[in-house]
Amino acid sequence: MKTTTQETLVEKGMARRSFLKFAGAGAVAAGVLATAASCQKHGGVVSDPQVIDLGTGDVAVLNYAYALEQLEAAFYTQVIATPYTGITTEERALLTEIRDHEIIHREFFKTALAGNAIPALTPNFSSITFTDKASVLGTAKAFEDLGVSAYNGAGYLIQTTAYLELAGKIVSVEARHAALIRNLLGQNLADDSILDPSNGLERSKTPAEVLAIANKYVSGKPLAAPALGA
């Protein structure tokens, strides 16, 4: 039986096979995670009541990714719900497709984490002017670049091979999103802001660096992941 989320995504034209592929992977991941959870701290159980604790081990890494995907999905959902002035048919189509991808990613991590998932976040997008193209696309660029650098910086922390493989696939999609947004902005697809000129590789950010930025878009308690390291 389809969930309400699945029905909504299919009605919006999302590729059903793509969602089922991730949903199936999420079901497998949930089984592995449930076994591992007995010896790991439960995501969302807060040792410090002033923050949202992501947990430890693979639970923490998946919650870290889940938090970022929640913010991205919420952002693009708002972009499509209240499109900026002068948005073209092509721009709307591309941003809608990115929104659908982010929702798939969010639902995958939610399914994989099951009872270990952090609560649904309440976004704070007060700094974004959704009627202004420059504000929207500038924020989209920041989100996509942040997402890629976050996955790149956290990959080595993933202990389960299946999770690492899936994370690699998701970050490749996020990189394509970043390229599409830069194309809409008329910017180079790769520059020194995302590439390290010393080695030609994509830059990565530590969880601490990423959360310092992501928390600007979270209402209420900030996200904290001391178990993920600096």
Side-chain angles (χ1 to χ4, degrees):
M1 180 177 181
K2 296 179 183 176
T3 64
T4 301
T5 301
Q6 288 173 316
E7 290 284 4
T8 300
L9 297 183
V10 172
E11 288 172 1
K12 289 178 178 176
M14 178 174 293
R16 175 178 167 82
R17 286 185 297 176
S18 295
F19 181 84
L20 291 178
K21 177 181 178 182
F22 275 102
V28 173
V32 176
L33 194 58
T35 302
S38 60
C39 59
Q40 294 180 5
K41 187 175 183 179
H42 187 289
V45 173
V46 182
S47 55
D48 180 349
Q50 301 303 312
V51 300
I52 298 174
D53 184 1
L54 302 184
T56 60
D58 282 348
V59 168
V61 180
L62 266 65
N63 266 321
Y64 175 57
Y66 177 43
L68 296 177
E69 298 296 352
Q70 283 192 59
L71 293 176
E72 288 189 292
F75 168 72
Y76 286 108
T77 295
Q78 185 63 47
V79 169
I80 299 305
T82 56
Y84 53 78
T85 303
I87 190 171
T88 67
T89 300
E90 180 183 10
E91 289 168 348
R92 186 192 291 269
L94 287 173
L95 293 169
T96 298
E97 186 173 4
I98 293 175
R99 176 203 64 188
D100 291 347
H101 292 167
E102 302 299 1
I103 291 175
I104 288 176
H105 297 168
R106 182 195 67 198
E107 293 303 300
F108 161 70
F109 285 114
K110 182 178 179 180
T111 299
L113 284 156
N116 294 289
I118 59 172
L121 301 178
T122 300
N124 176 8
F125 294 146
S126 59
S127 62
I128 306 167
T129 303
F130 282 95
T131 57
D132 180 68
K133 178 177 181 177
S135 179
V136 168
L137 294 185
T139 303
K141 174 186 172 184
F143 267 132
E144 297 300 344
D145 288 351
L146 182 67
V148 173
S149 64
Y151 278 100
N152 288 343
Y156 78 98
L157 296 167
I158 300 175
Q159 300 168 18
T160 304
T161 302
Y163 297 160
L164 183 60
E165 181 181 356
L166 287 167
K169 292 179 179 180
I170 291 176
V171 73
S172 70
V173 175
E174 297 292 348
R176 285 169 173 77
H177 292 171
L180 284 171
I181 296 299
R182 285 170 178 271
N183 186 57
L184 290 179
L185 286 166
Q187 298 179 355
N188 292 332
L189 300 186
D191 54 36
D192 287 353
S193 68
I194 58 173
L195 296 180
D196 185 340
S198 68
N199 56 28
L201 300 178
E202 286 183 324
R203 296 182 185 275
S204 61
K205 292 185 184 296
T206 65
E209 292 173 324
V210 170
L211 292 178
I213 298 171
N215 278 326
K216 297 176 182 178
Y217 299 101
V218 177
S219 293
K221 297 178 182 179
L223 298 155
L228 289 176

